[in-house]
Amino acid sequence: MKLYYDVIVVGGGHAGCEAAHAAALMGAKTCLVTMDMNKIAQMSCNPAVGGIAKGQIVREVDALGGGMGIVTDMTAIQFRMLNKSKGPAMWSPRAQCDRGKFIWQWRTMLDNTPNLDIWQDQVEELISEDLRVTGVKTIWGCELYAPAVVITAGTFLNGLMHIGRKMVPGGRCAEPAALHLTESINALGITSQRMKTGTPVRIDRRSVHFEDATIQPGEEVTSLFSYMGSNSNSSFFTLHSSLAAQGRTLPCWTFNTTPECHEILRSGLADSPLYNGQIQSIGPRYCPSIETKLVTFPDRDTHPLFLEPEGTDTNEMYLNGFSSSLPMDVQLEALKKIPALRDVKIYRPGYAIEYDFFDPTQLNHSLESKLCHGLFFAGQVNGTTGYEEAAGQGLMAGVNAALYAGHRAAAGNMANEGGEYAPFVLRRDEAYIGVLIDDLVTKGVDEPYRMFTSRAEYRILLRQDNADARLTEKSHKIGLATTERLKVWKEKEQKINDIIDFCRNSKIKPAFINDELEKIGNTTLSGSTRIYDLLARPGITMEWLVNNISFMKKAVSYSTAQDKEIAEAVETLIKYSGYIERERNEAEKMHRLEDIHIRGHFNYDDIQSLSTEARQKLTKINPETLAQASRIPGVSPSDINVLLVLMGR
């Protein structure tokens, strides 16, 4: 059987769902190929979305028109805003989700997406011609043809699972590995390597002694991820149908390992795949296994663990902090040395998994391969870790695959063979997604890549509260963000501007506020002062002003979650205006280098005034712009100056 599409997406994980959803919404006839339609957007590890820097990515995905934020809001069973004690550049939303309902909400969204077909099968081979992808073949003999293919195979490419000395091929527990697709991609000249990740034991909540654990409740329930909230008319998008709105929130619990637990874990290290030579690939530095913690921190008697619910209708719980590939009897006996788990029963042990990924320096910023036209990669196959990083890449790959397919159609699929299409690319000062992709294609990876706020040099510009301000109009112009979404942003923008104008033009006399300022230890006023200047003071918040200045209530509302977000956005823009302006100026300086295109201008091996390392790295990466060249490890400022001189700048 042969089927024809504009875009084919291989893999139904977080990257694949966003890629297929985005491409289809942009009008491309799209097919999502997945092994199991009932495990679309499976949360293979932690049943949570967001976290430090990751929460910002989810809000960016939502602002662009993606689905992760909406599905998270609908299926969340606990919300938290992390880093609230720090500045707003560090605030990061996080939500525990109902794992099963998360899958079915994504499935519902995809089933209701125009232009999108789902095909349950496994891709084992690419079809290509003259280094241009033309389609895929499946294990059941189906041939799907399209000018653009997006690979989002996660951990399934030659996946190998480890528990102690036992090894079983698979991409996830009880799911088969994809055994031939890597070789088909390698045949195009695209190189692959191996990485490792792992997941913890799953626990039966009925066997837990919660009296020996500390409860960790969530915060007030609001729509922390989707900017649409209850503004959408689509029935399965509305916040009103969410678990949180129904009051179905659940707490998490925390406790520590014990010295006795550590003793048993150490006794099993000889059989650990990480230390007996069985696993050679590199795992995630920032999510180490419990055995790695013991070896790395031998003086620590305890390590914190977090017990998290998997959903509202299940007894399954996730033990965060106890990722392991030790033999299952060692894992179980060690757990029983923790008071809260002394009678523990488990659904399955933790395990490690090795899988293939492709060096992301082989990609353009559009996530299209430099070696094969029309072939895009997103998610863990690019060396990243995390649902959020995968979703951000998936959306961008889906958008660019749709743009590429449209370009090919316009070119008649035969003409304009050397022609370029205009990809959708986000800069480092526009989005964490831009930082993520630029890091991948410019620097590559030597361990699973995880996003942190420290990776972004323009953090105050890339706040979680303003992703819609940064991205929604851009997305609407390319046909992804809906007119409804743009309208919601425009109405919010108008309200923000109105409140800022009110604060600039409204003054208050000392007699009306000095007593309250004295109570909180703030400097009293000596004369009439603008609300704008008062809010710029440390220790003065918008909410405090609304509660203490009567006429503020007419201009600023806190009655809904969206009202509160607007008020917080105004406060941030006023308080941090100097920092925001400074970062914008720094970003503008970098834009000048972004405007200097150097790809195709140089044979770096012939430029002896460059350092040897710079010649090697520039030849390998072949950067598009001088700004990208400046971010390549091993390329020094003096090397950049050499290129500037050669460009006549």
Side-chain angles (χ1 to χ4, degrees), residues 55-288:
Q56 283 89 325
I57 291 177
V58 180
R59 296 218 88 187
E60 290 173 355
V61 167
D62 182 76
L64 289 162
M68 179 176 269
I70 291 168
V71 173
T72 299
D73 284 345
M74 293 186 65
T75 60
I77 52 180
Q78 187 190 103
F79 284 108
R80 296 177 72 86
M81 183 66 78
L82 306 182
N83 282 340
K84 203 67 191 283
S85 62
K86 301 180 180 179
M90 307 296 285
W91 296 359
S92 303
R94 182 180 186 272
Q96 290 291 130
C97 294
D98 186 303
R99 183 192 301 275
K101 293 179 176 62
F102 190 93
I103 291 171
W104 283 104
Q105 286 298 342
W106 252 117
R107 172 74 182 273
T108 301
M109 183 181 291
L110 296 179
D111 280 342
N112 286 275
T113 300
N115 304 313
L116 178 59
D117 293 344
I118 301 175
W119 180 256
Q120 184 166 300
D121 205 338
Q122 181 179 327
V123 171
E124 68 172 353
E125 183 181 344
L126 289 180
I127 305 171
S128 63
E129 184 178 343
D130 298 327
L131 294 180
R132 188 180 301 280
V133 73
T134 57
V136 299
K137 292 180 181 178
T138 75
I139 60 172
W140 289 107
C142 181
E143 295 182 5
L144 305 171
Y145 289 91
V149 173
V150 185
I151 304 295
T152 68
T155 60
F156 281 78
L157 298 179
N158 291 318
L160 183 63
M161 298 180 290
H162 301 259
I163 299 178
R165 296 185 180 274
K166 184 70 175 177
M167 294 178 283
V168 176
R172 195 160 47 210
C173 186
E175 297 182 56
L179 298 178
H180 304 294
L181 184 54
T182 296
E183 290 73 12
S184 178
I185 294 171
N186 290 157
L188 298 170
I190 299 169
T191 61
S192 61
Q193 301 173 51
R194 297 284 277 176
M195 272 189 180
K196 169 261 174 189
T197 189
T199 191
V201 60
R202 302 304 199 271
I203 286 175
D204 187 334
R205 119 177 240 114
R206 295 167 295 184
S207 66
V208 177
H209 289 272
F210 289 102
E211 69 273 13
D212 291 316
T214 301
I215 194 168
Q216 194 178 52
E219 298 174 354
E220 178 188 357
V221 176
T222 57
S223 179
L224 289 182
F225 285 102
S226 179
Y227 290 97
M228 298 299 284
S230 57
N231 289 288
S232 176
N233 293 323
S234 300
S235 60
F236 56 91
F237 281 9
T238 59
L239 179 64
H240 301 300
S241 63
S242 71
L243 297 178
Q246 298 168 27
R248 301 180 71 184
T249 59
L250 297 174
C252 296
W253 304 81
T254 181
F255 44 79
N256 293 327
T257 59
T258 64
E260 295 78 15
C261 169
H262 289 191
E263 217 174 298
I264 292 176
L265 291 172
R266 287 193 187 96
S267 73
L269 287 179
D271 291 318
S272 167
L274 295 175
Y275 296 102
N276 66 8
Q278 199 168 298
I279 292 178
Q280 299 292 329
S281 50
I282 298 173
R285 178 197 304 266
Y286 303 105
C287 188

Side-chain angles (χ1 to χ4, degrees), residues 381-539:
V381 293
N382 287 340
T384 62
T385 180
Y387 314 141
E388 303 83 2
E389 290 89 342
Q393 294 173 71
L395 184 142
M396 297 299 288
V399 165
N400 283 309
L403 292 173
Y404 177 88
H407 156 77
R408 294 293 296 156
N413 251 16
M414 295 298 291
N416 196 22
E417 286 296 308
E420 296 291 331
Y421 73 104
F424 182 63
V425 174
L426 297 174
R427 300 191 307 264
R428 296 180 71 91
D429 63 312
E430 290 179 321
Y432 272 93
I433 294 173
V435 175
L436 164 65
I437 293 175
D438 185 65
D439 279 352
L440 292 175
V441 304
T442 301
K443 301 174 183 178
V445 293
D446 55 12
E447 63 184 24
Y449 180 101
R450 179 177 179 180
M451 179 54 73
F452 292 101
T453 52
S454 59
R455 295 190 190 272
E457 56 270 55
Y458 306 114
R459 289 190 293 276
I460 196 65
L461 300 182
L462 307 182
R463 306 182 308 278
Q464 59 86 29
D465 68 274
N466 73 340
D468 50 354
R470 294 182 272 120
L471 301 174
T472 296
E473 288 188 67
K474 289 178 178 292
S475 182
H476 184 262
K477 286 179 181 176
I478 62 168
L480 177 55
T482 63
T483 301
E484 177 190 7
R485 182 177 286 275
L486 180 65
K487 179 184 175 185
V488 169
W489 155 240
K490 283 298 185 181
E491 290 174 352
K492 177 182 172 183
E493 180 184 38
Q494 186 61 54
K495 290 177 182 177
I496 290 172
N497 291 336
D498 288 346
I499 296 174
I500 291 176
D501 288 342
F502 175 85
C503 292
R504 281 201 177 105
N505 298 323
S506 301
K507 292 185 177 182
I508 188 167
K509 294 179 180 179
F512 291 101
I513 196 67
N514 275 350
D515 288 346
E516 297 300 326
L517 290 173
E518 280 186 10
K519 287 179 184 177
I520 64 172
N522 212 289
T523 305
T524 56
L525 304 182
S526 57
S528 294
T529 300
R530 294 189 310 167
I531 298 296
Y532 189 99
D533 297 325
L534 197 56
L535 186 56
R537 289 185 177 194

